[in-house]
Amino acid sequence: MTTPGQTYGVSPFFDPVAHDLGLSRAAVATAYTLGTLAGVLPAPFVGRWIDRRGPRVAGVLIGLALAVACVVMASSNSALSLTIGFAALRGAAIGALSVGEPARDQSVGS
Amino acid sequence: MTRRGLAAGAVSFALALGGMVFPLVSEILMRHVGWRSTYVVLGTVVLLTMAVVGGVLFRTRPEQFGLAPDVGRAGDTTVARARSRCSPRPEALRTVVFWTMSASERRLATHSAQGCCSITTICWAATACPASSL
């Protein structure tokens, strides 16, 4: 359920967001790249936290974070807030939830 | 853990299906309610699936169900053998396998932005992780 933060989940929003905020596609892409970079930096620490807490608690809290990130994206109204929204979205989906997937894969389907 | 192949296959199938369906659903929703409301809908779906369903279905440790995480039943001697192959960080960082797998994880050749972030993350992970965690 990381789709809203995956590249293929974000790409349908590019043109509508750029048009609505009066930004170029390049500006939105830059915000996306910077947001991705900022979002994945805490990943090693998130991984250690997931190891300590287990996939159940971590999965629920990261899911909450991803839902909040979607709301942050929905309230973006400038290039800066868009970058923050992308950082939250990419951080929760790529930097956290994807990190937790191996732990989750070990624990479901048993 | 038993039936790991089936579980991994189900996860891969669901990920691919989600990747195919959600962009289409997002586009249809955007045409009717706009991109802001679409993000609110996606956030609600994430909340319901991850926070609610995940909280009910996720299991923290296979050992609680008498199963070992890697192979066979808990107490299986092959588990101890598998664990003994883990490398400490300095040793792992000197292997071609670690760098090759880390670099290929984010498909450097096709996604330059992700690739740049991936390299940064790998270097970051190499310095931030404790010596025993890799």
Side-chain angles (χ1 to χ4, degrees), chain A:
Chain A
M1 201 51 240
T2 60
T3 303
Q6 299 282 358
T7 305
Y8 53 79
V10 174
S11 56
F13 290 86
F14 251 62
D15 286 333
V17 168
H19 180 264
D20 198 34
L21 300 185
L23 300 169
S24 65
R25 294 190 93 241
V28 177
T30 303
Y32 178 72
T33 304
L34 291 175
T36 301
L37 186 60
V40 299
L41 285 179
F45 301 103
V46 173
R48 289 169 65 183
W49 174 70
I50 292 171
D51 284 343
R52 282 200 305 271
R53 300 303 301 267
R56 187 175 199 170
V57 174
V60 170
L61 292 179
I62 294 168
L64 280 171
L66 186 56
V68 170
C70 287
V71 175
V72 171
M73 279 300 293
S75 55
S76 299
N77 52 17
S78 67
L80 179 63
S81 58
L82 191 64
T83 306
I84 293 169
F86 278 139
L89 204 60
R90 301 287 283 168
I94 309 297
L97 208 52
S98 294
V99 175
E101 275 175 0
R104 184 205 60 195
D105 290 348
Q106 283 192 349
S107 60
V108 297
S110 54

Side-chain angles (χ1 to χ4, degrees), chain A residues 7 20 41 56 74 76 107, chain B residues 1 35-36 49 55 59 114 124:
Chain A
T7 305
D20 198 34
L41 285 179
R56 187 175 199 170
S76 299
S107 60
Chain B
M1 184 177 144
W35 66 273
R36 293 182 190 277
T49 53
R59 298 289 182 268
Q114 280 193 345
W124 181 238

Side-chain angles (χ1 to χ4, degrees), chain B residues 22-82:
Chain B
F22 267 83
L24 292 172
V25 171
S26 298
E27 200 163 321
I28 293 167
L29 272 173
M30 267 188 283
R31 270 194 233 124
H32 291 89
V33 298
W35 66 273
R36 293 182 190 277
S37 298
T38 301
Y39 261 124
V40 173
V41 171
L42 289 180
T44 306
V45 172
V46 167
L47 194 67
L48 291 175
T49 53
M50 285 300 301
V52 178
V53 178
V56 174
L57 295 181
F58 278 9
R59 298 289 182 268
T60 298
R61 300 204 177 281
E63 290 89 340
Q64 292 170 346
F65 303 90
L67 297 166
D70 289 327
V71 281
R73 298 273 165 187
D76 193 326
T77 54
T78 53
V79 174
R81 280 204 299 274

Side-chain angles (χ1 to χ4, degrees), chain B residues 59-127:
Chain B
R59 298 289 182 268
T60 298
R61 300 204 177 281
E63 290 89 340
Q64 292 170 346
F65 303 90
L67 297 166
D70 289 327
V71 281
R73 298 273 165 187
D76 193 326
T77 54
T78 53
V79 174
R81 280 204 299 274
R83 283 180 180 155
S84 71
R85 290 198 299 271
C86 292
S87 305
R89 183 181 67 179
E91 188 182 320
L93 290 177
R94 285 195 296 271
T95 62
V96 175
V97 171
F98 169 75
W99 292 102
T100 305
M101 289 189 69
S102 300
S104 63
E105 172 66 18
R106 290 297 172 199
R107 294 153 291 174
L108 294 183
T110 54
H111 294 288
S112 57
Q114 280 193 345
C116 177
C117 291
S118 182
I119 290 170
T120 310
T121 307
I122 293 164
C123 297
W124 181 238
T127 53

